[in-house]
Amino acid sequence: MSVLRPLDKQPGLNTATILLVGTEDALLQQLADAMLKEDCASELKIHLARSLPLPSDVNRPRIDLIMFVVNLHSKYSLQNVEESLRHVDATFFLGKVGFLAMGAGQESHCSIHRNTVTKLANTYRSPLFFCDLEREGFRATVAQRLVRMLQICAGHVPGVSALNLLSLLRSSENPAPEDL
Amino acid sequence: MDSYESTHQHIASSRLKDYFIGATPLQKRLESVRKQTSFVPTPPRRKIPQCSQLQEDNDPQKVAFLLHKQWTLYSLTPLYKFSYTNLKEYASLLSAFIAAEKQKGLAVEVGEDFNIKVTFSTLLGMKGTQRDPEAFLVQILSKSQLPSENREHKVLWTGWFCCIFGDSLLETVSEDFTCVPLFLANGAETNTAIVGTWFQKTFDCYFSPLAINAFNLSWMAAMWTACKMDQYMAATEFLWSVPCSPQSLDISYAIHPEDAKALWDSVHKTPGEVTQEEVDLFMDCLYSHFHRHFKIHLSATRLVRVSTSVASAHTDGKIKILCHKYLIGVLAYLTELAIFQID
């Protein structure tokens, strides 16, 4: 079983690669399209996967950022993400992993409590974004955020590293996440 | 410089912790609003509905009309200057209002005779603790045209307001307000709207429909399966809605109630309480059993209806209570949901 490691391959020249993991295929595709529309100096490569581990026989570039997408309307997507997290090396969680929770707006359709994903993100010390991927405006906003984050994680922004960004994002959070 | 900063942070964070521990619910709520976190994290455990002390005083005959009826749920903000001594006055005012609505444009006097009669009455014993306000009932009855007194009035519409274990809300409102956050209505939708409008105008409150999401429905399924029953009147049934085009598909899953109870007993650990893990495990067992037979992941669909011998609930906010013994327990959970929606 192949485990994803952050630094096991050489980086491509001016290339930044993101891996989106989630069960909502259509919405991930739309998010990928929105990200590609963004104005970006680096060349973006977006990989979509339903779950990890990825097939090991394919030659793929080094992955700079992994986003796990959870649909709050579907417990299955959460179980899928939890299973996939096992196939990611611990060093990835130093700023190169994020969680995206969708569907929080429609409270009446939610099968998962928001705090469950918040706890998950806190356990893995990674940032959590809430987004409604079905609406184009919100999707464009989160695509923008992801592109900026990806550029930092790929090292294309001078002076800021993935770990810097992680500590910046975490200092604005609840000071005692263990209480949740 | 570094040591000063770190001790300052330590003092600030420990003060924050103490503040959190000793804070009243109002302070906690203000704190969480400031930090933009959600106030009520899912409670890790809840009590299994038991026969409460106050319920013993309940006359089963008096509340029998509440059972076996489908109620539509609403959450209600606290009523301003509502008084239990003025119920007769409210009844006549509401009656006039309904008459006016039904005959728009004509002048109406309070006390005039029309085809309908409104009654307000208190429901004794429908509370969780002594602090809870009394539950009260509003009924719209059709008055018989004949002068004979013996004719029973036909009930056209029933609505009742209650508050069961509403401490978290009661602590935060002032004396002028009466908190009855849960409103249940049975009857024509137009009547519900008219009564709602009158209450909103008279007591400056706000009704909103209470939807029950899949998360809470699975909690209800677990809690009601956990209730001890002498005999089971109905099978335990679940209904899921699968979003797919062109029309959505519904999956219904019925289990013998004793099998459901046996499954629950094998999952259940702490006596008297239900935890989140137990609920998840109970539902996961059902999902994996279904997957083994039909290769469908029910966890990717939306739970829409839960039906047990204790009660049945639909995600649109409809409930039917079947068992008198656990009436208060069911209402307590619904009150919690209503209070959460008001916040």
Side-chain angles (χ1 to χ4, degrees):
Chain A
M1 286 284 118
S2 61
V3 170
L4 281 176
R5 282 175 225 283
L7 299 169
D8 59 350
K9 290 195 179 135
Q10 297 280 354
L13 186 62
N14 205 33
T15 315
T17 312
I18 180 172
L19 174 64
L20 297 172
V21 181
T23 50
E24 308 292 321
D25 307 322
L27 291 169
L28 287 188
Q29 184 66 50
Q30 288 178 325
L31 179 61
D33 293 337
M35 283 178 72
L36 288 171
K37 283 204 199 102
E38 285 296 314
D39 213 5
C40 180
S42 345
E43 194 190 310
L44 289 183
K45 285 207 166 101
I46 307 178
H47 279 250
L48 304 176
R50 290 216 73 184
S51 65
L52 298 177
L54 299 173
S56 47
D57 50 353
V58 176
N59 190 16
R60 71 174 69 80
R62 182 183 83 165
I63 292 173
D64 298 308
L65 174 62
I66 306 179
M67 285 303 286
F68 290 98
V69 180
V70 176
N71 186 356
L72 291 182
H73 301 181
S74 154
K75 262 174 132 173
Y76 176 60
S77 71
L78 179 65
Q79 286 167 345
N80 181 51
V81 161
E82 283 172 346
E83 273 297 316
S84 304
L85 279 165
R86 295 199 190 129
H87 299 278
V88 179
D89 186 52
T91 45
F92 239 117
F93 294 99
L94 295 171
K96 295 198 175 186
V97 171
F99 292 90
L100 187 63
M102 47 175 284
Q106 284 180 292
E107 182 67 34
S108 56
H109 287 234
C110 284
S111 323
I112 309 170
H113 200 277
R114 272 177 52 194
N115 278 31
T116 313
V117 277
T118 315
K119 256 197 227 155
L120 180 68
N122 283 342
T123 315
Y124 286 95
R125 299 285 190 266
S126 296
L128 171 64
F129 303 122
F130 286 95
C131 171
D132 187 0
L133 286 181
E134 302 196 13
R135 309 252 226 113
E136 208 192 305
F138 298 153
R139 202 164 55 223
T141 314
V142 86
Q144 230 178 27
R145 284 186 88 167
L146 288 180
V147 166
R148 296 289 161 260
M149 222 179 129
L150 175 59
Q151 283 187 296
I152 293 172
C153 292
H156 294 185
V157 178
V160 188
S161 74
L163 204 49
N164 278 353
L165 180 63
L166 182 64
S167 52
L168 268 175
L169 287 175
R170 276 188 41 83
S171 64
S172 58
E173 269 172 32
N174 196 326
E178 286 76 32
D179 287 342
L180 280 176
Chain B
M1 193 52 94
D2 284 331
S3 60
Y4 169 75
E5 268 178 18
S6 62
T7 44
H8 183 74
Q9 269 179 349
H10 174 72
I11 292 168
S13 65
S14 63
R15 211 183 294 139
L16 189 65
K17 263 211 163 103
D18 294 337
Y19 180 74
F20 245 95
I21 292 168
T24 62
L26 181 59
Q27 284 173 316
K28 274 191 194 152
R29 192 175 302 156
L30 288 173
E31 186 62 36
S32 64
V33 163
R34 214 179 304 143
K35 279 202 236 132
Q36 293 181 330
T37 56
S38 90
F39 168 63
V40 179
T42 170
R45 37 182 49 89
R46 284 202 179 91
K47 290 213 173 57
I48 296 177
Q50 307 284 349
C51 276
S52 72
Q53 191 67 2
L54 290 163
Q55 198 171 357
E56 300 297 319
D57 309 333
N58 231 333
D59 187 3
Q61 291 298 324
K62 288 220 180 82
V63 294
F65 72 99
L66 297 175
L67 303 176
H68 300 284
K69 260 204 190 77
Q70 177 156 289
W71 301 101
T72 310
L73 298 170
Y74 295 84
S75 68
L76 178 60
T77 59
L79 304 171
Y80 184 61
K81 289 212 158 54
F82 176 86
S83 161
Y84 287 95
T85 52
N86 293 349
L87 293 183
K88 278 213 156 42
E89 197 190 310
Y90 297 148
S92 51
L93 285 172
L94 179 54
S95 172
F97 183 77
I98 294 174
E101 286 292 314
K102 295 225 154 120
Q103 304 190 352
K104 278 214 158 114
L106 300 178
V108 171
E109 272 173 33
V110 176
E112 256 194 35
D113 218 4
F114 277 98
N115 293 339
I116 51 116
K117 180 173 129 136
V118 174
T119 57
F120 273 60
S121 52
T122 49
L123 285 170
L124 294 171
M126 300 295 291
K127 41 160 68 168
T129 63
Q130 287 300 345
R131 270 187 76 177
D132 289 331
E134 289 288 345
F136 62 97
L137 174 75
V138 178
Q139 279 186 312
I140 300 179
L141 311 153
S142 70
K143 243 200 244 185
S144 59
Q145 299 289 1
L146 303 173
S148 81
E149 297 292 327
N150 298 335
R151 277 282 288 275
E152 275 219 5
H153 299 304
K154 188 164 151 246
V155 176
L156 295 174
W157 181 92
T158 316
W160 51 294
F161 301 73
C162 68
C163 177
I164 316 278
F165 293 112
D167 290 329
S168 57
L169 188 61
L170 292 167
E171 278 170 2
T172 58
V173 298
S174 68
E175 293 295 313
D176 293 328
F177 287 92
T178 310
C179 291
V180 275
L182 187 62
F183 173 58
L184 302 96
N186 172 282
E189 181 59 43
T190 48
N191 287 334
T192 312
I194 295 175
V195 174
T197 315
W198 184 81
F199 267 89
Q200 285 178 166
K201 273 207 234 172
T202 318
F203 301 111
D204 196 24
C205 59
Y206 186 69
F207 285 86
S208 58
L210 183 66
I212 309 175
N213 63 22
F215 177 75
N216 288 317
L217 282 176
S218 38
W219 262 93
M220 285 183 186
M223 284 187 355
W224 298 342
T225 309
C227 294
K228 272 204 265 295
M229 299 278 288
D230 302 322
Q231 64 174 85
Y232 290 100
M233 292 178 284
T236 303
E237 234 184 270
F238 297 85
L239 186 70
W240 282 272
S241 162
V242 184
C244 63
S245 56
Q247 296 141 315
S248 67
L249 183 66
D250 282 335
I251 299 177
S252 158
Y253 185 1
I255 319 169
H256 194 276
E258 277 164 27
D259 291 340
K261 184 79 166 79
L263 175 63
W264 173 256
D265 288 336
S266 64
V267 165
H268 187 50
K269 301 237 167 26
T270 33
E273 281 182 340
V274 180
T275 63
Q276 178 70 58
E277 288 84 30
E278 288 168 3
V279 175
D280 287 340
L281 196 49
F282 179 68
M283 296 305 290
D284 283 342
C285 289
L286 298 174
Y287 291 154
S288 53
H289 180 82
F290 197 85
H291 180 68
R292 205 180 310 136
H293 288 270
F294 299 102
K295 294 285 179 276
I296 295 178
H297 286 284
L298 282 175
S299 46
T301 62
R302 182 163 77 104
L303 182 57
V304 157
R305 186 164 184 272
V306 166
S307 177
T308 64
S309 298
V310 172
S312 78
H314 189 279
T315 191
D316 289 340
K318 307 225 189 309
I319 185 132
K320 197 189 273 196
I321 308 176
L322 304 168
C323 176
H324 166 255
K325 220 165 117 183
Y326 296 107
L327 178 61
I328 296 287
V330 171
L331 293 172
Y333 189 48
L334 294 174
T335 310
E336 199 184 318
L337 293 181
I339 292 177
F340 187 52
Q341 187 169 299
I342 297 173
D343 280 339

